Amino acid sequence: MREPGTSSTIPPKVRTIHAWDRGPGLFQALAELYHHRELLAAWTIREIKVRYKQTLLGALWAILQPSILMVLFSLIFTTFIPVSTDGIAYPIFSYTAILPWTFFANAVTFSALSLVNNINLITKTYFPREIIPLAVVAASCFDLLIAAAVFVGMMVYYGVPLYETALLVPVVLLVQVLLTMGIALFVAALNVFYRDVRFIVPLLLQAWMYATPVIYPLSVVPARFRFLYMLNPMTGLIESYRALLLYGKLPPWADLGSATVISLVILWLAYRWFKRVEKNFADLI
Amino acid sequence: MEGVSKIYHLGRSRTSLRETIAGLFHRTCEQGTVLKALDNLSLRINRGESVGFIGPNGAGKTTLLRLLSGITTPSTGTICTYGRISSLIELGAGFHPDLTGRENIYLNAAILGLKRQEIQRRFDAIVAFSEMEHFLDTPVKRYSSGMYCRLGFSVAAFVDPDILLVDEVLAVGDAAFQAKCLKRMSELRAAGTTIILVTHSLGYLQRLCQRAIFLYQGKIQADGATSEVIQTYMNHPAYRGNLSRVEPDVIRFTSTITGGPVAITSVYFTDRSGNRIEQAHTGMPLNIHIAYTAFEPIADANVEIWLYGLDGSEYATFATMWDGLGPLTLQGRGEIRLQFDALCLMPGGYFVNAAISDLNGLRKYDLHWERHYLIVLGGPIAYGMVYQPHRWIVGEGNGDA
């Protein structure tokens, strides 16, 4: 019953597993991931579908979550404790940062649980495990795109022109996705070993948000802390978004550059570690 | 695979930070129990072979499949596989309850390694095989467990792997669907798929595999032609050890009744010529003897015999009353013999349960429940659930009917 042509299109795959293997090399791992790209796509679609199945508002949640935060912070920082935002209305000023931050925080939070939530799959089937957290990141990208609709609405409402620098936004987004992937892989694997992670992650994310100029401008940060701020790759990314979208300026290249380097290093280290410990998942989970 | 071991550290997995930190300080005192699920195993399975693994629970069969599929990695040794592997270790692993049957087919097939195009090409065949056309757009959480498994098997059966790993999953759906699964596996085998099967059903093993491997405590005990390995397995203490493990699932009567007016003193088996045997053969004559001692004469005795599988399923029941023997009078010591001209049981292990009761069978004078064990080995070539004694007549009539 083998369909003609089926077996010939799939080259016989030779797989050798040695007990002493320390996990595949980077290129081998990437090749395998590429081989399973359709599973990554299918799993991403599943993530998106499952996330909003049986919720009353469905994908509207993707919009509501950052919007409500934006409204709350606007209330606090325009009425109670006004902050200077260099001439940009506070709501759109903060939303420009809350939007990518929500993407980052959701992707990391959901991926921390992703492997453990799929115990059955990990103990019963084989495929490159990074697909599970990576699909979570991809699904969060989808949410980001939906929530971006609100941003467009706000641009019109607040009369922020569409600068041509906005064309560079995808580059910044790409760096952010790489950073998110790195952190997502790290926390997902770590949570297999230590279930404490799922409690720590939301806490750390909250602290991280306050340590990033999301709800306040970088200009209010005292100069002596600036260096520390630049170690945080999210700072460079968010400052770049604001520069490109709100001020029509080129991004702060030094900050964006260091954010890119840090993101790549984090991703590389996280992926390498993930592939090394991956083989223990089924036994430990 | 060569020199493969798999070691599990029982009760030593640390899944919280606290335990690890504690572990740093107490490293010397706790060493945990070490379980060698597989112990230095070496074996070679050739392309297109179908091999069945048997052995009692905990022998390492499932561990072996998980190693082969790449789910876990060996503690020592090397495993080398060629070709696409599809594992049916659990049906419908990866189904999401909220997604519909259709969505889950796509997802599950992708997990098993199919490309979208390949799935589309097989989609109709998968649906037709599963007989679930009407439920495709229903979330699988509304499925019955049978439907769930049927869909799971159907997806896996159409992946067209080079190597198919099957773990005890054939017991899905009704008898008709099981037959279909077996047929599909035979087709795959005929198409050159290497099939590696783990099962407790010796019947499936005989139908699907030419070669069997008996695993016990992580080691290979026997490897060879299926029927020979089954024989070795059934004679091994581990197989009989299954008896005690089966018991809790079975409705239990008191195994022996004391103080009754009559006692069953022994139950034994003989062949055609009256020699005592412990192993019977399918399709061959068998006598079951019940020896008794009546402490006081009884005039309303009814002798009952049940044949049970090790899994607790009832194969056949006999009673002297039903066969019109009327009330038996038992006095002193004596024997009752049940004679089969041709044993209809297929190879396997069985309990022979016996009772002496009153006429309507309600009051048991004595009962031996799960105390007597019969091994049935292969006889004439036969496949299926039972052996039906038969005769062929050729060249009769002229074909007009």
Side-chain angles (χ1 to χ4, degrees):
Chain A
M1 284 283 283
R2 185 170 294 239
E3 288 163 43
T6 312
S7 49
S8 58
T9 53
I10 308 147
K13 209 176 104 197
V14 181
R15 195 176 70 208
T16 311
I17 307 166
H18 299 291
W20 55 85
D21 275 349
R22 300 197 62 200
L26 186 62
F27 288 105
Q28 196 190 337
L30 287 176
E32 208 189 348
L33 181 59
Y34 180 74
H35 184 77
H36 285 85
R37 62 194 179 280
E38 299 209 3
L39 176 58
L40 180 57
W43 196 258
T44 304
I45 294 167
R46 168 205 187 268
E47 278 292 324
I48 294 168
K49 279 183 178 161
V50 165
R51 196 169 289 183
Y52 299 115
K53 275 242 164 138
Q54 283 214 350
T55 62
L56 205 60
L57 298 177
L60 210 58
W61 279 114
I63 293 178
L64 280 178
Q65 207 192 352
S67 302
I68 289 171
L69 276 180
M70 180 264 290
V71 170
L72 283 177
F73 287 127
S74 299
L75 203 65
I76 296 169
F77 291 108
T78 57
T79 317
F80 305 151
I81 318 159
V83 286
S84 142
T85 49
D86 307 320
I88 301 289
Y90 184 84
I92 192 164
F93 174 85
S94 63
Y95 198 70
T96 317
I98 288 173
L99 200 55
W101 181 269
T102 309
F103 155 64
F104 174 71
N106 279 351
V108 171
T109 315
F110 286 132
S111 48
L113 302 171
S114 62
L115 289 173
V116 174
N117 282 347
N118 290 291
I119 287 185
N120 207 21
L121 213 53
I122 287 173
T123 54
K124 302 287 163 52
T125 54
Y126 176 76
F127 55 87
R129 307 305 190 198
E130 64 266 32
I131 283 178
I132 294 180
L134 290 185
V136 172
V137 176
S140 300
C141 280
F142 174 80
D143 286 356
L144 173 70
L145 290 181
I146 294 179
V150 174
F151 183 76
V152 175
M154 289 173 83
M155 280 176 81
V156 175
Y157 181 82
Y158 289 103
V160 176
L162 184 63
Y163 300 106
E164 53 214 13
T165 49
L167 286 173
L168 281 173
V169 166
V171 178
V172 184
L173 184 61
L174 177 70
V175 176
Q176 199 198 342
V177 168
L178 294 177
L179 173 70
T180 311
M181 276 164 50
I183 304 221
L185 287 171
F186 178 69
V187 294
L190 201 61
N191 194 40
V192 172
F193 300 110
Y194 307 111
R195 297 291 147 82
D196 311 62
V197 170
R198 89 186 117 156
F199 300 112
I200 299 169
V201 161
L203 207 63
L204 282 182
L205 279 172
Q206 205 155 20
W208 195 345
M209 186 182 92
Y210 290 115
T212 307
V214 174
I215 52 173
Y216 52 86
L218 185 60
S219 53
V220 306
V221 177
R224 61 180 188 280
F225 292 133
R226 289 284 172 86
F227 174 71
L228 280 176
Y229 263 71
M230 285 311 139
L231 282 179
N232 170 5
M234 282 306 280
T235 305
L237 291 169
I238 281 177
E239 285 301 300
S240 302
Y241 284 123
R242 286 204 175 119
L244 294 170
L245 288 167
L246 299 179
Y247 302 101
K249 291 190 210 151
L250 287 173
W253 290 113
D255 302 345
L256 183 59
S258 78
T260 309
V261 171
I262 293 171
S263 301
L264 282 173
V265 169
I266 288 178
L267 176 59
W268 176 63
L269 287 175
Y271 191 46
R272 202 174 69 147
W273 181 68
F274 189 98
K275 291 311 280 185
R276 191 165 291 175
V277 297
E278 174 190 59
K279 58 178 185 169
N280 301 322
F281 287 172
D283 296 337
L284 282 173
I285 205 161
Chain B
M1 54 195 291
E2 232 185 275
V4 168
S5 303
K6 177 72 188 175
I7 294 169
Y8 284 110
H9 298 275
L10 297 183
R12 242 192 56 180
S13 82
R14 298 196 184 107
T15 43
S16 92
L17 207 56
R18 191 174 53 81
E19 289 167 47
T20 304
I21 293 167
L24 292 176
F25 298 107
H26 303 287
R27 186 166 293 172
T28 43
C29 32
E30 54 154 350
Q31 200 35 276
T33 334
V34 169
L35 172 78
K36 271 198 171 179
L38 288 178
D39 193 357
N40 204 11
L41 215 69
S42 293
L43 80 117
R44 186 187 168 82
I45 293 169
N46 293 317
R47 194 184 203 124
E49 258 191 312
S50 49
V51 181
F53 284 89
I54 48 174
N57 292 333
K61 307 183 297 284
T62 301
T63 305
L64 188 78
L65 287 196
R66 294 173 76 187
L67 286 174
L68 286 174
S69 61
I71 296 170
T72 58
T73 49
S75 309
T76 67
T78 301
I79 299 173
C80 197
T81 51
Y82 299 86
R84 175 146 76 178
I85 299 176
S86 170
S87 54
L88 273 88
I89 290 179
E90 189 173 283
L91 291 177
F95 277 4
H96 194 286
D98 281 331
L99 298 181
T100 65
R102 182 191 310 275
E103 291 165 334
N104 270 309
I105 289 178
Y106 274 97
L107 192 63
N108 205 233
I111 291 169
L112 292 172
L114 285 189
K115 305 250 171 280
R116 197 170 171 80
Q117 239 188 342
E118 295 176 296
I119 304 170
Q120 270 156 0
R121 209 160 53 215
R122 290 166 172 79
F123 191 81
D124 292 335
I126 292 173
V127 174
F129 189 86
S130 67
E131 302 163 20
M132 305 271 286
E133 293 89 346
H134 302 301
F135 305 102
L136 273 185
D137 296 308
T138 310
V140 298
K141 64 182 166 189
R142 312 234 185 280
Y143 282 18
S144 71
S145 56
M147 290 158 77
Y148 194 89
C149 290
R150 255 159 56 189
L151 197 65
F153 184 89
S154 310
V155 178
F158 284 89
V159 172
D160 280 337
D162 299 297
I163 304 172
L164 181 67
L165 307 173
V166 186
D167 187 5
E168 204 62 88
V169 289
L170 287 171
V172 295
D174 50 22
F177 191 74
Q178 280 188 29
K180 224 165 137 180
C181 294
L182 278 176
K183 185 163 159 262
R184 178 68 193 156
M185 302 252 300
S186 306
E187 282 169 5
L188 287 172
R189 193 183 61 182
T193 308
T194 308
I195 294 179
I196 298 175
L197 176 80
V198 161
T199 184
H200 287 287
S201 156
L202 302 178
Y204 284 144
L205 191 72
Q206 281 198 319
R207 280 191 63 170
L208 286 169
C209 306
Q210 309 106 342
R211 178 178 166 195
I213 295 172
F214 166 29
L215 277 185
Y216 181 58
Q217 293 181 341
K219 288 185 174 142
I220 295 178
Q221 305 290 322
D223 180 354
T226 302
S227 54
E228 285 164 29
V229 173
I230 288 180
Q231 245 178 65
T232 317
Y233 177 41
M234 287 197 300
N235 282 319
H236 193 275
Y239 187 61
R240 304 197 180 198
N242 267 347
L243 308 194
S244 50
R245 233 170 284 135
V246 175
E247 267 177 316
D249 299 318
V250 182
I251 311 154
R252 286 190 63 189
F253 300 85
T254 5
S255 134
T256 320
I257 293 161
T258 45
V262 61
I264 296 172
T265 50
S266 78
V267 173
Y268 63 95
F269 314 109
T270 58
D271 64 9
R272 189 201 317 250
S273 11
N275 300 319
R276 280 180 78 138
I277 50 169
E278 280 183 27
Q279 297 167 355
H281 288 270
T282 302
M284 308 295 273
L286 173 73
N287 295 301
I288 300 174
H289 300 255
I290 298 177
Y292 63 87
T293 304
F295 304 111
E296 51 192 75
I298 357 170
D300 65 343
N302 170 32
V303 178
E304 297 167 285
I305 289 180
W306 297 266
L307 300 180
Y308 267 77
L310 293 190
D311 57 353
S313 50
E314 187 173 349
Y315 278 80
T317 306
F318 309 90
T320 50
M321 265 304 292
W322 299 344
D323 291 325
L325 270 71
L328 303 178
T329 305
L330 305 182
Q331 246 179 332
R333 292 159 66 89
E335 243 185 57
I336 292 150
R337 180 163 65 95
L338 176 64
Q339 180 180 324
F340 302 134
D341 293 332
L343 183 61
C344 62
L345 296 176
M346 295 303 285
Y350 298 88
F351 288 116
V352 177
N353 302 324
I356 299 176
S357 61
D358 68 0
L359 275 187
N360 46 32
L362 288 179
R363 178 169 173 225
K364 308 283 183 216
Y365 294 122
D366 196 3
L367 172 69
H368 279 199
W369 194 260
E370 291 180 4
R371 286 181 53 186
H372 305 288
Y373 178 63
L374 176 70
I375 293 177
V376 179
L377 301 177
I381 292 173
Y383 291 119
M385 308 282 286
V386 292
Y387 174 77
Q388 164 66 48
H390 56 280
R391 198 181 301 123
W392 293 95
I393 293 96
V394 179
E396 222 176 49
N398 51 18
D400 283 346

